[in-house]
Amino acid sequence: MDSTTEAPRTRRRGAALQAAILEAAWEQLVDRGYGEFTLEAVAARAGTSRSVLYRRWSSRVELLRAAVEHQGTIPVSDPPDTGSLRGDAIALLRAMSEHRVELMVLFQTRLGGFFDESGDSPADLRRLMVGRRAGSMHDAVARGVERGEVEPGRVTDRIVNLPGDLVRHQMAMTLQPVPVADIEEIVDECFLPLLAPRA
């Protein structure tokens, strides 16, 4: 019997079952690309039936979006609180570089068919993934304001997002993690001077 049509039943229910399916979906996407990303293949990998997936997602586009969003709920590291904005920013950017370069490679090399089929852009998927972590650098900057490292009037969303944008751009260009020296340069030369209190 074809394992993609009749997968073994399990006792998983509710949130546990959904998490298992979404993790299996992500693994299928990373391993096989969008060309072999089907609800049948994901069901087989998750050890459940196709009908379970079809009750939750009507298409592979919906399932992929859900898998990307689920990955965004998995923290890449504990929120840093190093005692300085510089330390926090470097820790956040290093975690991003080390754990999200796989996503950058995936977006650029394995998802062409998804973008054609769905009409989504890489930016749309990124927004799904970063949703719950979007405040991490904002939290670090807020602590910097409390410590007197940051002039509150200089804080804007564009400035707070700048170091992450620069790291993502370098990853997109190289498809490699960003070296620590480059991250430190971004923080020291491009980020902190924009927020430091004026003399």
Side-chain angles (χ1 to χ4, degrees), residues 178-199:
V178 177
V180 175
D182 290 5
I183 288 175
E184 291 175 345
E185 183 178 19
I186 287 169
V187 171
D188 292 336
E189 302 297 329
C190 303
F191 182 48
L192 296 181
L194 296 175
L195 294 173
R198 293 181 176 88

Side-chain angles (χ1 to χ4, degrees), residues 68 103-111 115 122 125-126:
V68 168
L103 180 68
M104 192 69 67
V105 173
L106 185 68
F107 280 10
Q108 294 205 33
T109 63
R110 308 295 290 278
L111 289 182
F115 297 127
L125 286 191
R126 177 183 170 270

Side-chain angles (χ1 to χ4, degrees), residues 115-192:
F115 297 127
D116 292 340
E117 186 176 331
S118 67
D120 290 359
S121 69
D124 293 325
L125 286 191
R126 177 183 170 270
R127 279 190 290 272
L128 279 177
M129 174 162 275
V130 303
R132 295 191 182 183
R133 296 191 316 281
S136 297
M137 192 66 78
H138 283 82
D139 293 342
V141 170
R143 290 193 297 271
V145 170
E146 292 174 359
R147 290 190 294 260
E149 300 174 279
V150 173
E151 184 175 311
R154 305 186 77 178
V155 177
T156 67
D157 284 343
R158 184 175 297 278
I159 290 173
V160 174
N161 293 331
L162 176 65
D165 291 342
L166 292 174
V167 166
R168 277 187 291 274
H169 175 75
Q170 185 162 332
M171 286 195 293
M173 294 298 99
T174 64
L175 298 183
Q176 297 289 331
V178 177
V180 175
D182 290 5
I183 288 175
E184 291 175 345
E185 183 178 19
I186 287 169
V187 171
D188 292 336
E189 302 297 329
C190 303
F191 182 48
L192 296 181

Side-chain angles (χ1 to χ4, degrees), residues 21-89:
I21 292 169
L22 293 176
E23 287 161 15
W26 182 258
E27 291 169 3
Q28 179 72 15
L29 187 63
V30 171
D31 290 348
R32 311 299 296 181
Y34 192 64
E36 297 184 43
F37 185 82
T38 65
L39 272 69
E40 291 81 1
V42 172
R45 188 180 283 258
T48 189
S49 66
R50 288 182 300 173
S51 62
V52 169
L53 273 70
Y54 280 112
R55 283 197 294 270
R56 290 167 169 80
W57 305 281
S58 63
S59 69
R60 65 177 185 160
V61 165
E62 291 184 5
L63 177 57
L64 187 144
R65 288 176 182 142
V68 168
E69 187 171 18
H70 176 72
Q71 281 295 306
T73 68
I74 302 172
V76 296
S77 64
D78 293 330
D81 189 356
T82 65
S84 73
L85 177 56
R86 181 181 190 273
D88 290 353

